[in-house]
Amino acid sequence: MTGGGLGYLKIISAILIWSSLGIFVRKIELPIISIIFYPSLFASLFQFIILYKSKELSLSTFKAPAPILYLLAPCSLTNTLLYYYAFTNTTIANAVLTHYTAPIFVALTAPLLLKEKSPKTVWLAIIISSIGLWLMLGGLSVRSEEFKGIIAGTASGLAYAIIVLLLRIIMRTHSALFIVFIQNLIITFMLLPFVTKTSIPYSSLPYLILMGLIHSTLAPLLYVDGFKSVKANEAAVLGYIEPVGAIILALIFLNEAPHFKALLGGVLILYSGVMVLKSRQS
């Protein structure tokens, strides 16, 4: 498999892992901030051990371009918090659809910030995948009282787009493991003051540890490492696969069967991903 093909495989694998987050969150009886904090804590400890044993930690690894490196964690935390806020202040359809405006933000800014061209195929894939997501979610239905949730969902999409762009820059100077470690470490310290009085139920502990190892370590490593050979706008479009994975996993583990529009939308999303892959190969 070529380097580009392997990069796509890594990013798609990470996205499919993240699509299982909803199932884990349902099993954990903790506030949202705690659900973000503890996996980041376990992940940073695990990653520190790996980095220390491999002798990758040194003063030089924390140097320039530090501003870009350290922006990743606040952007990631902002993205997650806004996304959850959208879920609690508007419909799930509105929250998810507005969040997945990220590929549009990336396609608009990547040529300016990264000098990456956005071919017509990528733009067409964005349109097709957006239609597919709209079908999956049953169409956009907005009421005036849900305005805050809509704004938060769109803002989370912008934050996710910034993450994608920053990763393309930072991958040139730091390893994937170090980037993921710094991100989890900063998030841990940022949320620490808000979880000091929260106790962890024993039933939730295994899920939090698994999230730390799988969702906060393995998936980010695959995602970040995939950027070595995948363009920012391509990775953003591939992100549309996540709702498809979430529907399949919900059907398997929660017995939530999708309606016909969801299936049709999933086909369009998968097709848009295939378009991106073929355009890169050609």
Side-chain angles (χ1 to χ4, degrees):
M1 182 178 292
T2 62
L6 186 59
Y8 288 122
L9 181 60
K10 289 178 179 179
I11 287 180
I12 291 172
S13 298
I15 290 169
L16 290 176
I17 290 173
W18 282 324
S19 69
S20 67
L21 270 171
I23 297 173
F24 278 78
V25 171
R26 284 196 179 187
K27 298 290 185 179
I28 301 174
E29 299 177 356
L30 285 171
I32 292 173
I33 290 181
S34 297
I35 294 176
I36 299 172
F37 170 80
Y38 286 106
S40 295
L41 172 63
F42 295 136
S44 59
L45 291 173
F46 178 68
Q47 292 154 15
F48 174 80
I49 293 172
I50 297 176
L51 286 167
Y52 181 79
K53 289 188 174 181
S54 61
K55 299 181 179 179
E56 286 190 44
L57 287 179
S58 65
L59 290 177
S60 60
T61 57
F62 290 88
K63 294 182 180 179
I68 296 177
L69 175 63
Y70 299 135
L71 270 176
L72 271 175
C75 287
S76 179
L77 182 57
T78 300
N79 168 50
T80 304
L81 290 175
L82 285 170
Y83 199 22
Y84 282 121
Y85 180 86
F87 275 130
T88 58
N89 286 272
T90 184
T91 64
I92 291 177
N94 292 348
V96 176
L97 185 56
T98 51
H99 174 74
Y100 278 96
T101 53
I104 299 174
F105 288 124
V106 173
L108 290 172
T109 55
L112 298 174
L113 299 178
L114 303 178
K115 308 301 180 183
E116 292 183 357
K117 295 181 179 180
S118 295
K120 294 180 180 179
T121 305
V122 172
W123 283 103
L124 182 59
I126 289 174
I127 295 173
I128 292 175
S129 55
S130 297
I131 294 172
L133 186 59
W134 185 82
L135 287 171
M136 287 177 63
L137 300 171
L140 184 61
S141 175
V142 182
R143 297 195 300 267
S144 58
E145 60 268 24
E146 297 176 336
F147 183 74
K148 289 182 180 180
I150 298 297
I151 294 299
T154 305
S156 72
L158 176 59
Y160 178 69
I162 294 172
I163 292 170
V164 170
L165 296 172
L166 290 176
L167 283 174
R168 280 292 291 170
I169 297 173
I170 205 66
M171 274 304 302
R172 302 167 187 170
T173 54
H174 291 82
S175 70
L177 181 58
F178 182 75
I179 292 172
V180 174
F181 166 67
I182 291 297
Q183 185 172 341
N184 280 299
L185 185 65
I186 294 176
I187 289 175
T188 299
F189 279 108
M190 290 178 68
L191 295 181
L192 181 61
F194 304 98
V195 297
T196 53
K197 297 182 180 180
T198 304
S199 58
I200 309 176
Y202 287 111
S203 59
S204 298
L205 189 58
Y207 295 106
L208 293 170
I209 294 174
L210 279 175
M211 287 179 69
L213 296 178
I214 299 175
H215 298 91
S216 297
T217 299
L218 178 59
L221 282 176
L222 289 170
Y223 192 80
V224 173
D225 201 53
F227 269 86
K228 291 179 179 178
S229 54
V230 176
K231 291 183 178 180
N233 47 28
E234 295 170 338
V237 173
L238 291 175
Y240 279 111
I241 295 174
E242 185 175 346
V244 179
I247 284 181
I248 295 173
L249 291 173
L251 176 62
I252 296 173
F253 293 100
L254 303 176
N255 198 29
E256 293 181 359
H259 50 74
F260 174 75
K261 285 185 177 180
L263 293 175
L264 179 59
V267 170
L268 290 176
I269 290 171
L270 290 175
Y271 178 69
S272 69
V274 172
M275 286 179 60
V276 172
L277 298 180
K278 286 187 174 180
S279 69
R280 180 60 181 269
Q281 291 172 356
S282 60

